[in-house]
Amino acid sequence: MSHDFPDQPYLDRIRAALWRRGAHGNAAVMVGSGMSLNARPRGAGSGRFPLWSELARTVVDHLYPAHGGANSEHRNYALQQANATSGFLRLAQEYETAFGREALERLVADTVPDLRFEPGDLHRRLLELPWSDVFTTNWDTLLERAATRVIDRHYDVVRTVADIPASARPRIVKLHGTLPAVRPLIFTEEDFRTYPVRFAPFVNLAQQSMMESVFCLLGFSGDDPNFLYWSGWVRDHLRKYAPTIYLIGWLDLPPPRRRMLESRGVVPVDLAHLPLPASSWPEETRQQRALEWFLWSLERAKPYRETDWPKAPDRHAPEPPTYLPAVLVDSSGFPHPENAGPKASTDADELRNTVKDWQHNRRLYPGWLVAPKSARLRVWGTTVSWIPPALELLSAFAPTERIEVLEELNWRLETSLIPLTAELVVAISEALSAINPLAPSDQDLRLRWIRLVAALLRAAREGDDDSAFERWTEALEPYKPDHVWIGPRISYERCLLGLARLDHALVERTLVDLDVSTDEVFWKVRKAGILAELGKIEESFRLVGEALPEIRQQLGHGTADIPTLSREAWAMVLAEGFTFYPHPREPLWEIDSEPGPRGLEPPERAAQRWEVLQRYGCDAREELYEARRTIEDDLPGPEPQVIEKFGFDPWHRRRIGRRERWNSRGGGREHLPGLQAKRLVEEVGLPPVVDLHDLAKSLLLRTAVWLAESAPGQALGVILRASDYEEDEIFDNFFNRSRIALLADSEVNTLSREWGARWTMVCPEPRRR
């Protein structure tokens, strides 16, 4: 298509500019009289909108009636004059001189059948596009009336100079007056000569738009007096600073005429050169169909909305009619549809194709720190059923392909906030052992290897496997100089390991090595969360106070910088947690009055930022509320086909059944909401002790409910981290004799030792329970 239509590169530039800034693009349009031909008549007797040539004939008929004789000679000369722009404007000037200004404007009102027509579908579609401004030299009101039928955009209509100060983009600017009452109607030679002085604000408005935007002329012919005036004005007044103007329409320009326009800074987008079936259009439909194709081309260039990720475009979206040429669409920025599950007898090729789709969609990931719940559900829904066949088919792949498949699976699980299955941990370990990351020259393969090692490091921490944790830490050490994220990741995982065991001494030692000077400012937020959990509130407050403005300074301008906006949102959640937190030297139970605000910014400013963040799927507060609702409303039920066998002692029991073991300590698939909630809190570094709405605390405590049966030690560790010991019903329900009896001796020793240390830290005089 791009080779069949010679002006496609110019069209591509218009499309890119139009959609560059979302709501208000970087393209403006000036609409001429040819657009009015697409109006819809209200009745059979409505007639049709006149062309300039037809309006000129009407003027000649009034000035030189066809009575024969000498008048016939003058009439023929006037008709010849009307074919030239200057001659036509002079005829209008003659009419005003002969009959007066009022008669001239009454002639226009009688000739232009404005109210006998309704805006056509093309008027509405034109205004649905994100033009920065819409200028028009037309006297009719079709555009204004069409604007009332556009749902997603509001246009301010500028009819007079006095309307300009109170208007805001996008605007419909009536440059030459408007029916029925806004005068003067710009028509005569004198009108055009004095226009720059009499209507200087309109001229300045158009000039500013031309200088700032890609400027398009639509509905003009090459000899339209309005086109010639405005293009000549740009050339005369802006000179070497004159921007390129695009003249769009079925122009059918001969080469010399085209070269002349280009020399004057006007680039034609000549739709007369469209490929088949355009050449077979009837002459009376060419202009309308060419404009229709142009609007389809602009509409189909709309970029993918990142907040819809990973949803693929609607397969049932309307297609251009068959009488139009094909519309060139760049689909590289759109996600590929994903199969919800493999076929009954899937093979390696089907898995390869699926992984290619996953890789493509991953490249389009908007960059949220934590993907919104809707995105996580969609990713998980198209991943979970692929895990068993992928594990079975790995043996059919070369070692490098195994790494590729496993990394995509791991990324999708991490995006869904779901830990690796025990089977995936084994498969990844085996695949990594078959690759020497120092040997291959393939940097992508080496990076995949490193990322999978980091995933196993997290899995070892979640599984409380010390030997695996140290093994994978050692494997990552050689790559720390080249990948600045590895050092903070190792330190953070070790801190989380210490917090899970209530080993605050380990956490404090590790925090020294947690480097927050990297380009990823959010490490400061995570470190601030750990400091708050250790009771170092002032230091935590200071660190998050540094991080939030640094994150905002990284925001890109003119684009939707979702990665940075997402990090800002989660930093704001932690910052708001300090709003009513008391001074660390004044425990809650010793404060008589309500603690005063100590937030990082005024509530009004924070509310404004949240409105912006919500538009880009970065409403961190709503994600926390949604996670809490999930684990409150969907408590774990009985496991299907599971048999409990009891040993000699009443507390000795084991479960046997066809349950998928999700990880070494997290239980099966029925426990995923709890595991996801725990991962969410860890990923964003939100501590349970500094939380304005107690969301992190409630998430962790209810996560313990999900983990109680499958991982009682982990559940009790979560409770000890989050509970305040005096008010939590969950705390009392869990610390009963039977549940303590189910713990391993090592877990009991660790909990008893660290519980006492934690209790002393938070309460100087703990009461006996």
Side-chain angles (χ1 to χ4, degrees):
M1 175 64 192
S2 59
H3 300 292
D4 295 335
F5 181 43
D7 291 334
Q8 184 69 43
Y10 304 128
L11 178 60
D12 289 342
R13 183 165 188 265
I14 295 170
R15 299 200 300 183
L18 178 68
W19 294 105
R20 187 171 299 156
R21 295 178 183 171
H24 306 311
N26 197 36
V29 63
M30 185 181 287
V31 177
S33 59
M35 186 69 189
S36 299
L37 298 178
N38 299 289
R40 180 169 52 85
R42 284 184 169 178
S46 296
R48 63 189 295 272
F49 267 85
L51 299 173
W52 273 103
S53 58
E54 294 168 334
L55 186 57
R57 179 174 290 275
T58 302
V59 172
V60 171
D61 287 342
H62 283 78
L63 286 172
Y64 306 100
H67 297 317
N71 192 57
S72 176
E73 182 179 344
H74 293 299
R75 175 183 172 83
N76 291 335
Y77 178 73
L79 288 174
Q80 292 175 4
Q81 274 191 306
N83 292 327
T85 302
S86 58
F88 174 75
L89 300 180
R90 189 171 298 113
L91 284 171
Q93 189 71 49
E94 289 180 22
Y95 191 98
E96 181 184 6
T97 302
F99 303 111
R101 184 74 189 193
E102 183 179 353
L104 176 65
E105 294 187 345
R106 190 184 311 116
L107 172 68
V108 173
D110 292 341
T111 307
V112 178
D114 182 35
L115 296 182
R116 296 201 298 272
F117 282 78
E118 291 289 331
D121 181 61
L122 297 186
H123 287 90
R124 176 187 56 79
R125 288 173 58 187
L126 175 72
L127 295 180
E128 285 177 341
L129 295 168
W131 303 104
S132 58
D133 272 320
V134 177
F135 298 88
T136 180
T137 57
N138 294 343
W139 300 312
D140 59 66
T141 62
L142 293 170
L143 287 174
E144 301 97 293
R145 286 184 280 150
T148 64
R149 304 175 186 179
V150 176
I151 298 174
D152 298 331
R153 290 171 61 77
H154 170 74
Y155 286 89
D156 283 349
V157 180
V158 179
R159 298 179 178 86
T160 67
V161 168
D163 295 333
I164 295 176
S167 65
R169 287 181 170 179
R171 297 164 292 201
I172 296 175
V173 183
K174 304 298 295 275
L175 293 169
H176 287 179
T178 186
L179 296 171
V182 179
R183 302 291 193 268
L185 302 178
I186 306 304
F187 192 12
T188 69
E189 188 177 52
E190 185 68 8
D191 291 336
F192 278 91
R193 188 185 71 80
T194 60
Y195 188 87
V197 175
R198 297 172 62 197
F199 298 95
F202 274 153
V203 172
N204 292 336
L205 200 65
Q207 174 182 331
Q208 181 179 355
S209 183
M210 290 177 183
M211 296 296 290
E212 295 177 348
S213 312
V214 169
F215 204 82
C216 304
L217 299 177
L218 196 64
F220 293 92
S221 62
D223 55 1
D224 188 308
N226 290 317
F227 159 70
L228 293 173
Y229 167 76
W230 280 101
S231 61
W233 177 87
V234 170
R235 186 171 64 256
D236 294 341
H237 292 272
L238 300 183
R239 294 185 175 88
K240 66 179 181 179
Y241 300 106
T244 300
I245 296 176
Y246 294 92
L247 176 64
I248 301 148
W250 187 282
L251 307 172
D252 199 14
L253 298 172
R257 185 70 177 274
R258 183 183 180 99
R259 287 194 294 271
M260 181 193 70
L261 289 174
E262 290 174 344
S263 69
R264 295 178 177 181
V266 177
V267 174
V269 179
D270 195 344
L271 303 181
H273 298 151
L274 286 172
L276 290 172
S279 58
S280 62
W281 290 339
E283 185 175 355
E284 62 271 15
T285 66
R286 285 175 179 173
Q287 294 290 349
Q288 183 266 335
R289 290 188 175 184
L291 178 59
E292 185 179 3
W293 181 89
F294 175 70
L295 293 180
W296 272 107
S297 296
L298 298 185
E299 292 165 352
R300 297 300 289 272
K302 181 178 181 180
Y304 181 73
R305 191 171 65 173
E306 291 180 295
T307 52
D308 288 341
W309 187 94
K311 183 180 179 181
D314 185 4
R315 296 180 179 179
H316 303 291
E319 293 288 335
T322 55
Y323 57 75
L324 297 179
V327 173
L328 181 65
V329 179
D330 182 7
S331 60
S332 61
F334 293 82
H336 292 174
E338 295 182 355
N339 294 326
K343 299 175 183 177
S345 57
T346 188
D347 56 21
D349 288 337
E350 185 183 359
L351 179 58
R352 285 190 181 95
N353 293 333
T354 299
V355 169
K356 287 180 181 178
D357 289 335
W358 288 352
Q359 289 173 330
H360 173 82
N361 293 351
R362 179 183 177 181
R363 285 192 290 270
L364 300 178
Y365 181 66
W368 293 293
L369 183 66
V370 173
K373 182 182 178 181
S374 59
R376 299 198 305 266
L377 288 176
R378 190 175 290 273
V379 170
W380 176 237
T382 54
T383 303
V384 58
S385 59
W386 278 100
I387 296 175
L391 291 171
E392 292 177 6
L393 291 169
L394 280 179
S395 59
F397 289 85
T400 55
E401 279 189 298
R402 292 180 204 170
I403 296 290
E404 193 173 351
V405 172
L406 291 169
E407 195 215 2
E408 292 305 319
L409 276 173
N410 171 68
W411 184 86
R412 295 175 75 82
L413 264 64
E414 287 190 342
T415 303
S416 306
L417 297 178
I418 292 174
L420 291 170
T421 66
E423 292 79 5
L424 276 171
V425 168
V426 173
I428 294 173
S429 300
E430 293 175 350
L432 293 178
S433 64
I435 295 290
N436 179 6
L438 297 176
S441 57
D442 187 347
Q443 295 298 321
D444 290 338
L445 175 61
R446 181 178 301 174
L447 186 56
R448 291 190 185 101
W449 191 94
I450 293 171
R451 287 196 289 247
L452 284 175
V453 172
L456 292 183
L457 179 72
R458 173 183 284 186
R461 188 261 303 170
E462 291 173 328
D464 201 23
D465 188 339
D466 286 347
S467 62
F469 187 90
E470 297 304 328
R471 182 169 70 253
W472 298 123
T473 298
E474 184 179 349
L476 287 172
E477 285 291 336
Y479 307 101
K480 287 171 64 174
D482 296 328
H483 303 278
V484 294
W485 59 270
I486 293 178
R489 173 55 66 185
I490 293 174
S491 298
Y492 188 62
E493 293 294 340
R494 196 177 294 279
C495 286
L496 293 177
L497 183 64
L499 289 174
R501 297 175 176 178
L502 304 180
D503 188 349
H504 291 171
L506 171 64
V507 177
E508 292 200 33
R509 291 194 306 271
T510 307
L511 273 181
V512 177
D513 298 326
L514 182 50
D515 182 12
V516 295
S517 63
T518 65
D519 293 338
E520 175 55 276
V521 182
F522 201 79
W523 285 117
K524 285 189 175 182
V525 180
R526 294 189 178 107
K527 186 172 184 177
I530 295 174
L531 287 168
E533 193 159 351
L534 294 178
K536 300 183 178 184
I537 303 301
E538 289 297 323
E539 191 176 349
S540 174
F541 182 76
R542 177 189 59 78
L543 196 57
V544 76
E546 293 177 6
L548 187 54
E550 287 181 23
I551 291 172
R552 286 173 174 163
Q553 288 171 7
Q554 294 179 347
L555 282 170
H557 297 287
T559 59
D561 187 356
I562 290 180
T564 307
L565 290 170
S566 177
R567 284 154 177 77
E568 178 190 0
W570 289 108
M572 285 180 63
V573 168
L574 180 55
E576 288 183 352
F578 290 100
T579 302
F580 293 101
Y581 199 89
H583 194 281
R585 299 185 186 87
E586 298 175 342
L588 279 172
W589 53 86
E590 294 182 6
I591 294 179
D592 296 327
S593 60
E594 185 73 16
R598 51 182 278 141
L600 291 175
E601 55 191 351
E604 297 80 9
R605 172 174 167 76
Q608 293 172 356
R609 287 305 300 167
W610 281 118
E611 290 179 2
V612 174
L613 296 168
Q614 287 168 357
R615 294 200 294 266
Y616 298 103
C618 299
D619 191 347
R621 299 173 304 176
E622 180 58 30
E623 288 303 319
L624 287 170
Y625 280 120
E626 190 62 41
R628 186 168 72 176
R629 283 193 292 266
T630 299
I631 57 179
E632 285 177 346
D633 298 341
D634 191 15
L635 292 175
E639 299 173 3
Q641 299 183 16
V642 173
I643 302 173
E644 286 191 351
K645 287 195 174 183
F646 294 88
F648 178 81
D649 294 319
W651 60 83
H652 185 197
R653 60 179 178 176
R654 60 195 178 103
R655 291 187 168 194
I656 301 174
R658 296 166 59 187
R659 185 186 72 179
E660 182 179 8
R661 191 162 65 93
W662 203 260
N663 67 13
S664 58
R665 301 194 65 190
R669 189 181 301 175
E670 73 282 355
H671 296 94
L672 286 182
L675 295 171
Q676 287 175 298
K678 182 169 175 288
R679 270 216 172 185
L680 172 61
V681 171
E682 293 173 350
E683 187 64 27
V684 301
L686 187 61
V689 293
V690 180
D691 186 358
L692 182 60
H693 304 290
D694 280 339
L695 292 175
K697 173 183 173 182
S698 61
L699 277 178
L700 287 174
L701 290 177
R702 283 165 176 78
T703 295
V705 177
W706 289 79
L707 302 178
E709 297 300 324
S710 60
Q714 189 176 158
L716 288 174
V718 170
I719 290 174
L720 289 172
R721 282 184 61 191
S723 175
D724 60 16
Y725 311 138
E726 294 193 356
E727 300 176 357
D728 292 321
E729 180 182 353
I730 295 177
F731 183 90
D732 292 323
N733 290 341
F734 268 73
F735 279 93
N736 55 53
R737 187 177 301 275
S738 60
R739 189 155 279 125
I740 295 296
L742 290 172
L743 296 177
D745 291 343
S746 59
E747 291 176 322
V748 172
N749 293 334
T750 300
L751 289 172
S752 63
R753 181 179 67 253
E754 300 300 338
W755 186 3
R758 168 79 186 278
W759 189 282
T760 302
M761 181 185 73
V762 300
C763 183
E765 296 181 1
R767 63 181 178 90
R768 296 182 181 275
R769 297 187 67 87

